[in-house]
Amino acid sequence: ILPSLSPDLEDVVVRGVVRRDFELSGMYDVIPDAKAPAGMYGFEDPVDVPAWRNIGAEVVIKVAARKRDGKVEISGLAYFLSHGADPVYQKKLVVGSGEVRLTAHRLTDALLGALTGRDGGFASHMTYVAPWGHARRVFTMDADGHDLTPRSNDKDTAIAPTWGAGGTLFYASSHEYSPFSLFKDTAGTPEKVNLPFSTSIYGVSFDDKTGKMAVAVAEGLGSAIYVGNADGTGLQKVSNTEIATHPVWSPSGKLAWVGGGGKQGTQRIYVDGKPASPSGFAASSPVFCDTEDGIRLVFTVSVAGDRQDLVMTNERGGGIARLTQDQGSNTYPACSVDGRLLAFFSTRKSGQGPGMYLLSLKRWKTQRLSGQTGESLRWAPLPK
């Protein structure tokens, strides 16, 4: 990432966002500014490819911005230094000042795509639930930790947020101990979703490819998963466990949930009705990650006492691998759009302390993204 000498705030914002995104992506080690070759780094100044090659750089990214006629012009270039002095990617965009940060994320995603063949996932947003007084409230924020915003009513108790088509936020909410109802929020105004149930809604998930909806519904002394159309019609029961919550779709169309109770015993992860997590370990919070090595299933397992750790398997539960250990309780994983990063909440006291962390599934490095902690984390791309 080339250093910038421009005093423009837009340039600082763009470079800062792009640099942070590349550092978090886990794809490359970023060379410190102090080791950068001498030279000019203005908007129109060329990249000195031989100088960067001499200090051992393999890839050079140049991102710059300047004000132009009341707008901001942003330029992005990428070079493979082993393939000559011509860029393998170049793009110029003109945007409003309020679009600089998002444009920088989209540019990072495109640059990662040019370098690796798979676009990045930084033009995205997260949602989760956190304590608010004596209740729970839904929050959203950008994938880099910016723009943290409360979304649900501060006088209600909200649970299980997720993203639907077009960036629509869905969550279940209860007012004064009433059953939890499903709400959607497109532009800051919650609207109740009419479902054919009078009992509480405990969770919802949408299949991006088929448009199907899966919803967890209170039923008798337990709960069940129903699948139907995204508008809530045509719902049919698909779960076969006494308790079934936290539905989540795989990119391949498989459906996972947390099931247990009765004859099933310990709470386990089920995929299309079959147990996928190991027996004897209470499991929760499944999520599918569409990685470069294939689709992976990540979930939490209870270990010592009330502590939980993250484990990863293939799409149906085979080949289990542990992702966290001896670092507090680690819960509610969510995967980035490109499958390179895993976000989760941790109560660890060492290092940077408790908060939301990102784990690179490429290089197994962990970095704290935010000091926020909560539940039911979900991660999805921003609508274009």
Side-chain angles (χ1 to χ4, degrees), residues 236-253:
Q236 300 291 324
K237 184 177 177 179
V238 298
S239 62
N240 52 12
T241 54
E242 182 177 339
I243 297 173
T245 60
H246 201 99
V248 60
W249 292 96
S250 165
S252 69

Side-chain angles (χ1 to χ4, degrees), residues 151-268:
R151 298 291 293 269
S152 60
N153 192 307
D154 62 349
K155 294 179 174 58
D156 297 339
T157 297
I159 60 173
T162 195
W163 299 106
T168 301
L169 177 67
F170 287 80
Y171 57 88
S173 182
S174 169
H175 181 69
E176 295 183 349
Y177 305 102
S178 64
F180 284 91
S181 298
L182 184 63
F183 287 83
K184 66 177 180 179
D185 181 352
T186 304
T189 303
E191 176 185 347
K192 186 176 179 180
V193 179
N194 292 320
L195 295 177
F197 305 106
S198 59
T199 54
S200 285
I201 305 300
Y202 292 143
V204 65
S205 182
F206 297 91
D207 185 351
D208 294 336
K209 291 186 177 180
T210 66
K212 292 181 180 180
M213 176 176 73
V215 60
V217 185
E219 189 172 85
L221 296 178
S223 55
I225 303 295
Y226 284 77
V227 171
N229 302 317
D231 62 0
T233 61
L235 290 165
Q236 300 291 324
K237 184 177 177 179
V238 298
S239 62
N240 52 12
T241 54
E242 182 177 339
I243 297 173
T245 60
H246 201 99
V248 60
W249 292 96
S250 165
S252 69
K254 294 179 177 59
L255 179 64
W257 66 80
V258 179
K263 295 181 180 180
Q264 289 86 17
T266 304
Q267 182 174 288
R268 299 175 70 181

Side-chain angles (χ1 to χ4, degrees), residues 71-337:
K71 299 281 189 176
V72 180
E73 184 178 13
I74 302 175
S75 170
L77 297 165
Y79 298 81
F80 276 125
L81 301 195
S82 60
H83 289 73
D86 294 327
V88 296
Y89 174 90
Q90 53 186 331
K91 186 79 171 181
K92 284 187 179 181
L93 300 167
V94 179
V95 301
S97 58
E99 303 172 89
V100 173
R101 178 173 289 277
L102 175 57
T103 302
H105 287 310
R106 294 201 188 281
L107 192 56
T108 301
D109 293 342
L111 288 165
L112 282 169
L115 297 174
T116 67
R118 173 177 284 224
D119 285 358
F122 291 103
S124 56
H125 52 182
M126 299 177 176
T127 184
Y128 64 94
V129 169
W132 187 272
H134 296 290
R136 293 284 190 274
R137 196 173 187 185
V138 172
F139 290 82
T140 59
M141 72 177 187
D142 293 341
D144 63 353
H146 283 261
D147 197 23
L148 180 65
T149 305
R151 298 291 293 269
S152 60
N153 192 307
D154 62 349
K155 294 179 174 58
D156 297 339
T157 297
I159 60 173
T162 195
W163 299 106
T168 301
L169 177 67
F170 287 80
Y171 57 88
S173 182
S174 169
H175 181 69
E176 295 183 349
Y177 305 102
S178 64
F180 284 91
S181 298
L182 184 63
F183 287 83
K184 66 177 180 179
D185 181 352
T186 304
T189 303
E191 176 185 347
K192 186 176 179 180
V193 179
N194 292 320
L195 295 177
F197 305 106
S198 59
T199 54
S200 285
I201 305 300
Y202 292 143
V204 65
S205 182
F206 297 91
D207 185 351
D208 294 336
K209 291 186 177 180
T210 66
K212 292 181 180 180
M213 176 176 73
V215 60
V217 185
E219 189 172 85
L221 296 178
S223 55
I225 303 295
Y226 284 77
V227 171
N229 302 317
D231 62 0
T233 61
L235 290 165
Q236 300 291 324
K237 184 177 177 179
V238 298
S239 62
N240 52 12
T241 54
E242 182 177 339
I243 297 173
T245 60
H246 201 99
V248 60
W249 292 96
S250 165
S252 69
K254 294 179 177 59
L255 179 64
W257 66 80
V258 179
K263 295 181 180 180
Q264 289 86 17
T266 304
Q267 182 174 288
R268 299 175 70 181
I269 306 302
Y270 287 75
V271 176
D272 285 347
K274 298 180 180 180
S277 62
S279 62
F281 292 88
S284 61
S285 306
V287 66
F288 289 99
C289 295
D290 188 9
T291 76
E292 293 170 309
D293 300 318
I295 297 173
R296 297 290 185 262
L297 174 64
V298 179
F299 51 91
T300 65
V301 292
S302 295
V303 283
D306 60 353
R307 189 164 58 83
Q308 294 178 294
D309 275 324
L310 302 177
V311 297
M312 182 170 66
T313 70
N314 63 27
E315 195 174 12
R316 290 191 175 276
I320 191 167
R322 196 164 182 166
L323 300 180
T324 61
Q325 187 172 2
D326 299 329
Q327 292 177 304
S329 191
N330 302 280
T331 56
Y332 298 102
C335 205
S336 64
V337 180

Side-chain angles (χ1 to χ4, degrees), residues 19-26 122 143 341 358 360 367 369:
R19 186 183 187 96
R20 179 178 173 84
D21 288 353
F22 265 88
E23 289 172 339
L24 291 175
S25 74
F122 291 103
L341 296 171
L358 292 182
S360 169
Q367 181 172 334
L369 176 67

